[in-house]
Amino acid sequence: MMSSFQPRSALDADSVKAAYRRWARVYDSVFGGISAFGRRRAVAAVNALPGKKVLEVGVGTGLALPSYNKDKRITGIDLSEDMLERARLRVLRDHLGNIDDLLEMDAEATTFEDNSFDIAVAMFVASVVPHPDLLLKELKRLVRPGGHILFVNHFLADGGVRLKMERVMARASRSLGWHPDFAMETLLPPEDRARATVTPVPPMGLFTLVTLPQNKDR
Ligand SMILES: C[S@@+](CC[C@H](N)C(=O)[O-])C[C@H]1O[C@@H](n2cnc3c(N)ncnc32)[C@H](O)[C@@H]1O
């Protein structure tokens, strides 16, 4: 069932692939700068957590890959082969020895076994995937008890001019390839929201870092 917080125009997997086929070539120059702070915070949070096996969901062009501590072993997945191609080039160019795999895979239904990872991190992905509730369910399955799930994302403002702008921008979701009107409640049910650590990230609190510990007794 669709939550009442569902963005108005859900993207399906084909529109995600089509959007990121267009964005792949210019993604780093158009989005790399504005999103850098959020990405840096999320990777710093991952680096500070215990556990080595990290799943980066929606790894895109791999902008975060050079920033992980070298003792973290990274598996990246993405729906878009065009984005992944750039991530693979980055790994070669920067001689990144701690990237285990970069795989074309749907984060809502992966082929990994239960409890395969210590940490899963999704940067600017939750507002792109077709079904954020399925994404969360899948990440809970993949991260071991006592591990952590992290999201950094733009979430819908509570009110004011920003909320109005986000509602207007949402009409362009399909060509943008993400939902400007994505509410945190679309991703996190109240019980998870209550357990999560939620930290605003500059610039201007535009992005939010969410850290969700996995229950130990799952
Ligand atoms: C806004 S980009 C973010 C890329 C990267 N995380 C970053 O920080 O730059 C969103 C990425 O999520 C990917 N994506 C969207 N839906 C997905 C899904 N269901 N499974 C895996 N990747 C997905 C897109 O292909 C795209 O590369």
Side-chain angles (χ1 to χ4, degrees):
M1 199 179 75
M2 272 201 168
S3 127
S4 55
F5 295 103
Q6 198 79 11
R8 288 172 188 188
S9 49
L11 293 162
D12 57 32
D14 285 340
S15 14
V16 169
K17 287 184 191 180
Y20 286 93
R21 185 170 305 130
R22 288 194 303 272
W23 279 120
R25 204 167 41 83
V26 293
Y27 182 87
D28 292 3
S29 41
V30 176
F31 289 118
I34 182 140
S35 54
F37 250 112
R39 199 175 294 105
R40 220 174 291 147
R41 281 285 178 91
V43 176
V46 168
N47 284 337
L49 286 169
K52 285 189 181 352
K53 294 201 72 186
V54 177
L55 176 67
E56 191 184 325
V57 174
V59 62
T61 61
L63 281 170
L65 295 177
S67 308
Y68 291 104
N69 286 350
K70 296 305 170 231
D71 66 328
K72 300 286 187 206
R73 307 292 322 177
I74 316 298
T75 299
I77 61 170
D78 205 288
L79 262 187
S80 164
E81 190 52 38
D82 300 84
M83 296 289 271
L84 281 169
E85 215 170 274
R86 281 157 202 276
R88 293 191 187 109
L89 286 174
R90 188 186 306 277
V91 169
L92 289 177
R93 194 190 60 212
D94 294 359
H95 307 289
L96 302 177
N98 60 331
I99 313 304
D100 286 340
D101 259 321
L102 290 172
L103 305 168
E104 185 181 344
M105 202 183 281
D106 184 349
E108 295 180 0
T110 72
T111 55
F112 302 116
E113 291 184 4
D114 293 1
N115 305 326
S116 293
F117 297 96
D118 300 304
I119 300 165
V121 58
M123 294 175 255
F124 312 107
V125 177
S127 54
V128 178
V129 297
H131 310 97
D133 52 338
L134 296 184
L135 171 68
L136 181 64
K137 189 171 170 213
E138 183 66 354
L139 298 189
K140 286 182 175 180
R141 183 182 78 74
L142 295 180
V143 175
R144 65 160 170 85
H148 293 83
I149 300 171
L150 291 87
F151 298 97
V152 71
N153 221 90
H154 169 81
F155 293 104
L156 186 67
D158 290 336
V161 179
R162 211 178 99 192
L163 174 68
K164 283 190 188 138
M165 273 175 57
E166 287 163 352
R167 290 284 194 215
V168 171
M169 281 172 69
R171 292 178 201 148
S173 291
R174 284 179 87 85
S175 46
L176 283 171
W178 60 286
H179 295 286
D181 59 344
F182 184 73
M184 195 177 294
E185 293 84 346
T186 310
L187 177 66
L188 294 181
E191 60 277 18
D192 286 333
R193 177 75 169 79
R195 292 186 310 113
T197 305
V198 175
T199 318
V201 175
M204 297 176 294
L206 199 56
F207 303 123
T208 304
L209 176 65
V210 176
T211 306
L212 184 65
Q214 274 283 71
N215 287 329
K216 286 207 162 66
D217 52 353
R218 199 153 42 98

